[in-house]
Every structure is written in C-alpha cells, then in structure tokens.
C-alpha cells in the first residue's frame, strides 16, 4: 500500500508466515490433547488404586460343594447413615433347586437384596449365608465363581454373537453354545440374523432390541451352568 513491497515480497512473506504458523498450531493442539490425556490418566490411576471396602477376612475359607442353599437371616442394610435403611430385618431361605421371585415397587430394595448375596456390599445387620457359611467368612473369588448374574443393564462387546455368548466359558464347544442359546430362548432370533451365530454386533449390541440383549446375556450365563443364578 505504501509502495514499498512488490508481489514477490508479498508472496514470499505469506509463505514464510504459513510455514511458521502450522507447527505452532500443531504444538498448541498437542498441548491441549496432552493436558486432557494427563487429567484422564490421573483419574484412571486414582480409580485403579482404590482399595475396595469389601475385603476377604484373614481366615476366609473356600466355598466348596455348592448345592444352592441360601439364607438371609434378619438382614438390614443402608448405603449410608443419612439415607436411612434400604432393608430392615429381612429373613428368607432358598433351598437347593428352588426358585424365588421378589417383586415390589421401584426403590423397594430388590436390587440391593441381589447385590448382598455375591457380597458386592456387606450387610449392616444380620447375615447372609450360603451352604450355612456366612458370606463374610468366604473368599470372594470362590463365592462369586458359584454365581451367575444378569443385571438390568446388559453388556455386549464388539464381535460375533458366538463370541459374546462364549464369554461365559471361552473353552465351550459349538454344541454347548447352541444348547445354552436354546435354553435361554435366544436361538430363534439368532438364526434369523443375517449371519446367524456369526453375525457381528456393534459395541453394546446396538443393532439388537433390549430383550434380545437380555437373552444373549442369559445364554452366556446358561453356558456356565452356575449352582446359583441371579436375574435382576
């Protein structure tokens, strides 16, 4: 504008500016991503280093010869003192091979009742017993290995239907897998899928209905044939 720069100088200057600004922008972008990653990784480490409140007792024993006898004896439970009790003086007994259905309104404590059995929480009063042993006196690994549990929220991984069912027992054969699917009434809709048992599912089974996801999760548990089954 002042007559002190020609076209060659202008183009050269523009090229220099572009060459200089591009790496600066990359550095700024990397710094932002790095800070986000560092914060996320710190939260991850904090979570992984958290010690669970429920621990094995020093003299905990292995649970063996499980038939499925369960007893809730005068059980009370509250998540914290401010919230008040969720369960109060609940007593019930389930014999081996017996089925028990617990019904009631939302917030009535049905899920809590289920979560006390595999010892996701410890009771605040009374006791929960399996085969006559208090669950607090049994190792968590041996206790939970004898349960099959299907929650309200289903979880499926990316992969085939066959892979998702076989998560219950990775060494299971195809005949056992199909038998588990038939036992859970999932075989019918599986065979109607585009590739049957080899149909690839998206993460969390987005292409399936909620009921179909539940049936696959039940088939996964049926493949394990646990002595005790919890359907929440």
């Amino acid at each position: 504008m002042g007559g002190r720069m020609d076209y060659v100088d202008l183009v050269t200057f523009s090229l220099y500016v572009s060459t200089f600004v591009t790496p600066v922008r990359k550095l700024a972008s990397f710094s932002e991503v790095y800070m986000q990653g560092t914060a996320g990784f710190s939260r991850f480490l904090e979570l992984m280093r958290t010690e669970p409140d429920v621990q094995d007792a020093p003299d905990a024993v292995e649970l063996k010869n499980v038939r499925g006898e369960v007893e809730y004896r005068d059980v009370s439970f509250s998540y914290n003192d401010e919230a008040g009790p969720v369960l109060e003086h609940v007593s019930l007994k389930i014999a081996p091979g017996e089925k028990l259905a617990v019904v009631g309104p939302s917030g009535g404590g049905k899920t809590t009742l289920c979560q006390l059995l595999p010892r996701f929480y410890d009771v605040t009063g009374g006791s929960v017993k399996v085969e006559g042993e208090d669950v607090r006196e049994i190792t968590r690994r041996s206790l939970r290995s004898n349960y099959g549990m299907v929650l309200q929220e289903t979880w499926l991984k990316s992969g085939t239907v066959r892979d998702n069912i076989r998560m219950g027992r990775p060494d299971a054969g195809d005949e056992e897998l199909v038998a588990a699917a038939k036992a859970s009434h999932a075989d019918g809709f599986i065979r109607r899928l585009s590739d049957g048992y080899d149909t690839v599912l998206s993460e969390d089974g987005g292409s399936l209905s909620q009921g179909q996801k539940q049936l696959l999760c039940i088939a996964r548990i049926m493949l394990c044939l646990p002595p005790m089954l919890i359907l929440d």
Side-chain angles (χ1 to χ4, degrees):
M1 290 177 66
R4 296 190 297 273
M5 180 181 290
D6 56 24
Y7 292 111
V8 175
D9 293 336
L10 178 60
V11 172
T12 303
F13 175 77
S14 298
L15 290 173
Y16 282 157
V17 168
S18 177
T19 303
F20 175 74
V21 167
T22 299
V24 172
R25 285 177 176 169
K26 288 183 178 180
L27 284 172
S29 177
F30 170 77
S31 299
E32 181 180 0
V33 172
Y34 177 77
M35 293 303 296
Q36 291 175 347
T38 301
F41 188 60
S42 298
R43 289 194 295 270
F44 168 77
L45 290 178
E46 181 182 356
L47 177 64
M48 295 303 294
R49 288 169 179 165
T50 301
E51 289 293 329
D53 294 331
V54 176
Q55 297 281 359
D56 287 344
D59 56 348
V61 298
E62 296 286 320
L63 183 62
K64 300 178 180 178
N65 303 319
V66 180
R67 299 176 300 124
E69 180 183 317
V70 175
E71 182 181 5
Y72 286 70
R73 183 176 294 179
D74 196 30
V75 168
S76 298
F77 177 78
S78 60
Y79 288 99
N80 54 64
D81 296 334
E82 292 77 14
V86 179
L87 300 172
E88 288 187 281
H89 307 293
V90 176
S91 294
L92 58 90
K93 192 169 185 178
I94 307 171
E98 186 179 2
K99 300 178 180 68
L100 174 70
V102 180
V103 297
S106 297
K110 302 185 296 296
T111 295
T112 301
L113 201 67
C114 293
Q115 292 177 339
L116 293 177
L117 194 50
R119 206 179 165 212
F120 294 157
Y121 300 96
D122 275 337
V123 297
T124 51
S127 62
V128 178
K129 296 190 174 185
V130 176
E131 306 299 338
E133 296 282 350
D134 193 315
V135 295
R136 290 169 293 189
E137 300 173 358
I138 301 170
T139 61
R140 289 172 298 162
R141 181 178 294 276
S142 66
L143 175 66
R144 294 171 184 174
S145 65
N146 285 285
Y147 285 99
M149 195 168 189
V150 180
L151 304 174
Q152 298 177 39
E153 294 295 327
T154 58
W155 183 83
L156 299 174
K157 68 171 185 175
S158 298
T160 64
V161 172
R162 192 185 307 275
D163 292 338
N164 272 280
I165 297 177
R166 194 169 270 144
M167 284 177 63
R169 247 184 67 209
D171 60 340
D174 287 342
E175 291 184 1
E176 294 175 293
L177 186 144
V178 172
K182 288 180 177 178
S184 65
H185 301 284
D187 182 71
F189 88 82
I190 292 174
R191 294 189 183 277
R192 290 193 296 270
L193 297 174
S194 57
D195 294 315
Y197 283 84
D198 294 315
T199 301
V200 177
L201 303 177
S202 60
E203 186 174 355
D204 200 29
S207 57
L208 301 179
S209 69
Q210 185 62 29
Q212 290 172 331
K213 295 178 189 177
Q214 289 277 10
L215 291 178
L216 286 184
C217 290
I218 295 173
R220 180 189 297 165
I221 295 300
M222 295 300 292
L223 190 60
C224 302
L225 288 178
M228 291 172 282
L229 178 63
I230 302 172
L231 302 177
D232 185 14

